[in-house]
Amino acid sequence: MDKPRGQDSFGWAYKVGFWFQYIIVHIVGPATTNDNRDPRVQLKREYERRRQLHENWLESQSGNA
């Protein structure tokens, strides 16, 4: 498996950007809405998706050693 890059990367820059966006949306974002439209839920869902891709890649790397 290739390392996730671009729209699927899970590097330090993405993590810092995620927490910055999440805090800003939490402070000045809209009121909580349904899960399909809530930006906090969308951000967390994307974070979990990228984290899972990264973990899968790490597992595939440890299997090659």
Side-chain angles (χ1 to χ4, degrees):
M1 178 178 190
D2 293 334
K3 184 174 184 174
R5 299 192 187 285
Q7 294 292 80
D8 294 329
S9 69
F10 193 67
W12 65 269
Y14 170 74
K15 292 175 194 175
V16 169
F18 163 78
W19 285 111
F20 179 75
Q21 282 181 322
Y22 189 77
I23 290 168
I24 294 299
V25 168
H26 187 72
I27 293 170
V28 297
T32 303
T33 61
N34 64 7
D35 287 348
N36 294 332
R37 298 191 55 187
D38 192 339
R40 287 174 290 231
V41 173
Q42 291 173 351
L43 284 169
K44 286 292 249 185
R45 200 177 290 144
E46 177 66 10
Y47 182 86
E48 290 300 323
R49 183 188 72 81
R50 288 184 182 207
R51 186 175 62 98
Q52 188 62 42
L53 280 173
H54 185 73
E55 288 175 358
N56 291 345
W57 174 74
L58 289 175
E59 288 176 9
S60 74
Q61 294 303 303
S62 64
N64 291 338

